Amino acid sequence: KGFLVNTINPFTFVFWISVITTYLLGREVTGWDSAYFLGSILAVIIMTDALKVFLAQLLRKRLTGIHLLWINRVAGAALTVFGILLIIWSF
């Protein structure tokens, strides 16, 4: 389920299409070179998504409730500090 959601995410497609068009138009790449470029990007996206799914399954077996509690606390503290710094730096 997570693999499918991550793979067909429209924001991922929009990001990569903008990267591809910027690269191809900037370097005037045409023909088979553009097909290889697009194919390699697609292959890397699929491989990294599959790796994330595999690692998530391994991690799920090792995490306990106390681990998740501490991860949430650390993440919340980091977001709070980052938010405060953004507010301070915006003035």
Side-chain angles (χ1 to χ4, degrees), residues 6-57:
N6 203 11
T7 303
I8 62 172
N9 183 356
F11 296 110
T12 303
F13 285 125
V14 169
F15 172 75
W16 283 113
I17 287 184
S18 64
V19 168
I20 290 167
T21 54
T22 302
Y23 178 82
L24 295 179
L25 292 176
R27 302 204 187 244
E28 298 178 7
V29 178
T30 58
W32 283 105
D33 289 336
S34 61
Y36 292 140
F37 182 71
L38 182 60
S40 64
I41 287 176
L42 185 61
V44 168
I45 289 172
I46 291 173
M47 286 188 298
T48 56
D49 286 350
L51 180 66
K52 286 189 281 187
V53 169
F54 176 72
L55 292 176
Q57 289 174 354

